Amino acid sequence: MTATEGETAGMAGSDANSYDLVVIGAGGAGLSAALFGAISGARVLVVESTEYVGGTTAWSGGTIWIPNTLHAAKVNQGDSITQAETYLHAAVGNYASHELIRSFLEEGPRAIELLERESEVRLRPYPLHPDYTSDLPGSTLNGRALEPIAFDGRLLGDKFDLLRPPIPEFTVLGGMMVDRNDINQLLNLKKSWKSFRHSLGLLTRHARDRLGHKRGTRLVMGNALIGRLLYSLLQRGVTIWTNATVDRLDSEGGRITGLSLTRNGQRHDIRAKRGVILASGGFNRHPKLRKELVPDVEIYTPGAPGHKGAALELALAAGARMGERNMENVFWAPVSVRQRPDGTTAVFPHFIFDRAKPGTLIVNAGGRRFLNESTSYHLIGKAMIEASRTAPSIPGYLIADHAAITAYGLGMVRPGGSGMEPLLKDGYLTRGATIGELAGKLGIDAAQLQATVAQFNGYAASGNDPDFGRGVTAYQRNLGDPKVGPNPTMRALDRGPFYALKLYPGDIGASAGLATDAKARVLGADGPIGGLYAVGNDQNSVMAGTYPGPGITLGPGITFAYVAVKDALAAA
């Protein structure tokens, strides 16, 4: 048997269910915690409630925001802990404790260095990826955001199918994963010999993959990170149980000593000698906590299905408490929604590819702009909710002219504009020959929408948006098209036909979670609860509901996984 089937050779009786560390949740933070434990020589069990490992990390871009890692100097030699601390204090304010921020900044680089040295995790810095609030003191244009290097999923052997597949809308040709570079190469394959060779390699590899796999095995973005973590854990023989439900946390003398779980209809009492680490993904799909913590408007959740808050419920029953000082309880992004042919709902997050590109704008139900389309996705989701209190703004409408949708795509429409007809037929996408016709199909006052577009077109000509400041910061301008000027995020919408899709706020992750100290120990009424740790979205975020940069869930998730394991294994 393999470790993932839940057996370890040579163990019998009660010893078989005794581990140094038990990690609840197999997303990016949970697998990192398990790997840090295994690297330190601990016997580790990973418990996952769904049939896959990877959580929302497997569906994400996989970006990790940690300042001053061993990679930072490759693109930015001027950063420091002091500068990063200045930035976080400016962005987060007094919502998070200074001790938590300091722990994140000091321990994060050590966590990354250990992963790179002792596992198959491989990362690189983005050449240019500004912090999201790049006008604040201490911000940088690059060096803090890391991306996972592509991974060959064939190395996982028969465990490849254990990895959560990416959402279909993020793949092409029946399961081929592509990142931003791949998309650019595919679009230019007829214009550049380099792009042609790159594209031919992708297509040839995918054709071979489909002979023996349900999808492509070249993994990028979050799938690559999870693939690398899983491969490293398999190499070290770490036990991973999927489809396992934790029923109870056990304690002795006020300390968490283990848990009870059900798997394949059988109950198991598990002992955790050094600690239990909660990394189950947060409360986003927990009905009661959601009602208490999330605004009562039409919101969609693009996260993985396992984020049901069950681990939080168990911790609260054991005396834990939730964090209270958050600017927002979830992290936001604008999303569009479509029912797939199989009846499931696709929730597509609009991160970078369309909303801030030239030839686009966002309006409310009254046909008026109400936000800065080029600000961070978190702030757009937040702005939609705030605007809805005074005027119908959910859904909003993301509008593009023909040149924009062809060049950049629009939601589930690929760059190049191919494949639009099914999306038009089922109502995901709306098309009008003129702005007036588009307004009529959307149920928006035509005169008002025409006036809004005319005003915006005038702003685009000058490159100045006096209403919302579109494209004024380095981060915002980086989302645009450098070939367009004077403002790379703005161009007149004057090339019909015109298109629109509905945008809703989407909660892409939990910010509110269990209160912890700087060692990731879960706090109760009288201090830390012995043997219990929370990381990832189960931990109240060090960012406290702000969104200072790309990967501010994964960066702290990995960092505090490292911190938690170090503290647990050091405890007597």
Side-chain angles (χ1 to χ4, degrees):
M1 287 189 178
T2 67
T4 53
E5 291 173 315
E7 300 290 340
T8 303
M11 301 299 295
S14 60
D15 287 343
N17 283 340
S18 180
Y19 296 85
D20 297 309
L21 296 170
V22 178
V23 180
I24 301 177
L31 294 185
S32 295
L35 183 52
F36 287 128
I39 289 171
S40 297
R43 187 164 185 259
V44 183
L45 169 66
V46 179
V47 178
E48 167 60 35
S49 64
T50 72
E51 70 272 34
Y52 296 116
V53 304
T56 297
T57 301
W59 284 354
S60 75
T63 301
I64 299 165
W65 194 86
I66 298 178
N68 299 297
T69 66
L70 72 165
H71 296 294
K74 299 173 185 176
V75 294
N76 183 349
Q77 297 183 2
D79 202 7
S80 66
I81 285 183
T82 300
Q83 184 174 342
E85 193 169 32
T86 297
Y87 176 63
L88 283 183
H89 286 316
V92 179
N94 293 321
Y95 286 94
S97 76
H98 292 187
E99 292 77 16
L100 232 65
I101 290 175
R102 191 72 185 185
S103 178
F104 166 62
L105 293 176
E106 289 180 347
E107 301 287 5
R110 297 167 186 160
I112 295 301
E113 191 277 333
L114 183 60
L115 286 178
E116 295 256 8
R117 188 181 73 241
E118 299 291 342
S119 80
E120 297 299 324
V121 173
R122 296 292 180 269
L123 308 167
R124 63 188 172 202
Y126 286 93
L128 177 64
H129 210 322
D131 294 328
Y132 283 178
T133 42
S134 57
D135 53 334
L136 292 180
S139 66
T140 65
L141 299 180
N142 49 23
R144 295 173 179 173
L146 309 175
E147 65 172 335
I149 294 174
F151 178 67
D152 187 350
R154 294 173 297 190
L155 294 172
L156 295 172
D158 62 357
K159 296 299 180 290
F160 176 71
D161 289 338
L162 189 64
L163 176 61
R164 182 175 296 282
I167 61 174
E169 291 74 21
F170 278 9
T171 67
V172 297
L173 300 177
M176 184 174 81
M177 294 197 73
V178 290
D179 59 19
R180 282 184 288 184
N181 177 61
D182 297 329
I183 291 172
N184 291 333
Q185 302 285 7
L186 287 166
L187 290 174
N188 290 319
L189 68 88
K190 295 181 180 179
K191 303 175 185 178
S192 161
W193 174 243
K194 178 182 177 182
S195 295
F196 176 80
R197 285 187 300 171
H198 182 92
S199 301
L200 181 62
L202 291 179
L203 298 172
T204 302
R205 164 72 182 270
H206 185 61
R208 289 200 304 265
D209 282 345
R210 291 310 304 272
L211 295 176
H213 298 87
K214 297 176 182 178
R215 65 181 179 102
T217 62
R218 176 183 175 268
L219 308 182
V220 296
M221 302 186 294
N223 238 234
L225 177 60
I226 294 299
R228 289 181 173 279
L229 288 167
L230 178 59
Y231 185 53
S232 301
L233 290 167
L234 295 174
Q235 286 182 319
R236 293 178 178 273
V238 172
T239 304
I240 302 172
W241 284 359
T242 55
N243 294 308
T245 303
V246 179
D247 307 307
R248 185 187 70 237
L249 293 177
D250 297 325
S251 63
E252 295 176 9
R255 177 181 176 83
I256 301 301
T257 56
L259 51 84
S260 175
L261 63 81
T262 301
R263 180 172 182 262
N264 297 331
Q266 294 186 332
R267 178 147 170 200
H268 301 266
D269 291 317
I270 307 296
R271 179 168 177 78
K273 293 185 286 186
R274 297 299 186 94
V276 173
I277 300 175
L278 306 179
S280 68
F283 75 87
N284 295 70
R285 297 186 185 275
H286 188 284
K288 181 175 182 293
L289 290 173
R290 187 172 184 83
K291 187 174 181 179
E292 294 173 358
L293 298 172
V294 179
D296 187 18
V297 295
E298 189 171 7
I299 297 169
Y300 291 86
T301 303
H307 300 174
K308 298 179 180 179
L312 299 185
E313 199 169 20
L314 294 173
L316 293 171
R321 57 184 175 87
M322 294 287 286
E324 298 174 348
R325 296 170 58 187
N326 292 301
M327 186 177 294
E328 297 286 324
N329 289 322
V330 296
F331 298 115
W332 299 109
V335 301
S336 53
V337 180
R338 183 189 185 219
Q339 188 173 39
R340 298 185 181 109
D342 64 2
T344 60
T345 300
V347 182
F348 187 93
H350 292 251
F351 289 136
I352 61 173
F353 287 115
D354 51 21
R355 57 182 172 78
K357 291 295 191 287
T360 68
L361 56 77
I362 297 174
V363 300
N364 63 15
R368 293 177 170 86
R369 291 179 70 217
F370 62 101
L371 49 73
N372 178 349
E373 297 92 343
S374 65
T375 193
S376 76
Y377 40 88
H378 174 69
L379 293 180
I380 286 185
K382 182 178 177 181
M384 293 183 74
I385 293 170
E386 291 175 348
S388 71
R389 298 188 178 108
T390 57
S393 305
I394 301 174
Y397 298 90
L398 175 57
I399 297 175
D401 69 3
H402 184 72
I405 200 171
T406 301
Y408 316 114
L410 194 72
M412 298 182 198
V413 180
R414 310 290 187 190
S418 62
M420 280 195 277
E421 292 309 314
L423 304 178
L424 288 164
K425 184 176 180 180
D426 66 19
Y428 172 80
L429 188 68
T430 302
R431 178 170 60 198
T434 64
I435 290 294
E437 181 181 323
L438 182 68
K441 290 184 176 181
L442 296 175
I444 295 175
D445 180 81
Q448 179 56 61
L449 184 57
Q450 287 168 336
T452 295
V453 172
Q455 183 183 58
F456 180 83
N457 289 351
Y459 294 164
S462 67
N464 178 40
D465 175 18
D467 294 337
F468 299 101
R470 177 165 167 167
V472 298
T473 70
Y475 163 73
Q476 294 172 22
R477 296 173 77 85
N478 189 51
L479 293 184
D481 185 337
K483 298 187 295 295
V484 174
N487 186 327
T489 73
M490 298 174 70
R491 175 182 57 71
L493 281 74
D494 56 6
R495 309 176 191 182
F498 301 91
Y499 303 84
L501 53 76
K502 294 178 181 179
L503 287 182
Y504 300 87
D507 55 313
I508 59 174
S511 175
L514 298 171
T516 70
D517 62 12
K519 295 182 179 180
R521 299 180 296 185
V522 173
L523 298 177
D526 302 316
I529 299 174
L532 188 62
Y533 300 83
V535 301
N537 289 356
D538 282 355
Q539 177 188 36
N540 200 69
S541 174
V542 65
M543 304 302 172
T546 66
Y547 217 110
I552 53 83
T553 53
L554 266 176
I558 291 171
T559 298
F560 286 106
Y562 170 76
V563 169
V565 168
K566 186 166 66 169
D567 185 78
L569 297 183

